[in-house]
Amino acid sequence: CTEKKEWDLVWSEEFEYTGSPAAESWGYETGYIRNNELQYYTDQTENVKVENGMCIITARLAGEDSITSASINTWGKKDFLYGRVEVRAQIPSALGSWPAIWMLGANFPTVGWRRCGEIDIMEYVGNNPGKVQSAIHTPSSSGATVNVKSTEIVNETSEFHVYSVIWTEDEIKFLIDDAEFYT
């Protein structure tokens, strides 16, 4: 980032326990959720568990044509307006996967997607290795948004990287390993 600022830490999750993600911070989406995705999201430990300082989300083949996975979130438990968010993650290498780290407006249940806004800190399309993207979805730019940029990345499936967003009243900056690639 071109400017350095001291941030006040308001929440951190270091996954220093074993089992399911901590209920005071994490909730689950369950079922077939969005975009005609093939996977069924569960809250089962075979799809999401915490161990060795990591939250591990696993997609599993659950029959010939069925896939299960997990989608966890902090909706109703953590929210903020402006700040810096950092997530340390290693991306799966499976073709067809689409892991993402994103934020929705807290008013999502009352106004719905698009109107609540969405900030995609990181999206990785499994059939496009070596690239990640970040995006902003709004009522005027949703779906195939124009507010998107991809960047090249190495070792995304074999090493951890820190994906960040700096959100201020005037702009949103996206970073990988503290290197800004999109504003």
Side-chain angles (χ1 to χ4, degrees):
C1 179
T2 56
E3 64 183 58
K4 293 292 180 183
K5 176 180 174 152
E6 291 295 320
W7 296 95
D8 294 327
L9 181 64
V10 295
W11 179 62
S12 175
E13 170 63 278
E14 303 300 328
F15 298 111
E16 295 173 342
Y17 53 91
T18 299
S20 296
E24 63 271 9
S25 297
W26 300 101
Y28 302 87
E29 293 180 292
T30 58
Y32 294 104
I33 304 299
R34 67 185 74 77
N35 301 330
N36 296 315
E37 294 173 346
L38 298 177
Q39 73 267 8
Y40 184 90
Y41 290 114
T42 81
D43 60 359
Q44 303 300 305
T45 55
E46 62 260 8
N47 292 117
V48 60
K49 64 183 174 183
V50 174
E51 65 182 24
N52 300 320
M54 295 180 286
C55 179
I56 302 166
I57 297 175
T58 304
R60 298 196 177 279
L61 192 58
E64 193 171 307
D65 296 324
S66 180
I67 299 167
T68 61
S69 188
S71 177
I72 62 172
N73 62 65
T74 60
W75 182 81
K77 300 173 187 229
K78 310 286 180 191
D79 67 47
F80 61 93
L81 179 65
Y82 309 134
R84 181 176 180 131
V85 177
E86 296 183 340
V87 179
R88 183 175 173 268
Q90 181 178 341
I91 299 170
S93 61
L95 290 176
S97 65
W98 196 315
I101 302 164
W102 46 285
M103 303 183 295
L104 283 179
N107 59 348
F108 169 73
T110 56
V111 302
W113 184 74
R114 288 187 293 213
R115 291 192 63 214
C116 72
E118 177 181 327
I119 300 172
D120 296 330
I121 300 170
M122 183 284 301
E123 287 185 301
Y124 179 76
V125 182
N127 63 358
N128 196 9
K131 291 190 179 206
V132 295
Q133 65 186 31
S134 295
I136 302 166
H137 300 280
T138 66
S140 64
S141 182
S142 59
T145 183
V146 298
N147 302 311
V148 62
K149 184 169 184 182
S150 65
T151 189
E152 293 185 6
I153 186 170
V154 295
N155 301 324
E156 72 276 15
T157 63
S158 62
E159 295 181 11
F160 283 86
H161 294 275
V162 177
Y163 302 94
S164 307
V165 63
I166 299 174
W167 178 24
T168 69
E169 185 176 355
D170 299 317
E171 64 187 3
I172 300 174
K173 296 179 180 184
F174 297 92
L175 306 90
I176 299 175
D177 297 327
D178 216 26
E180 183 181 327
F181 74 95
Y182 181 43
T183 300

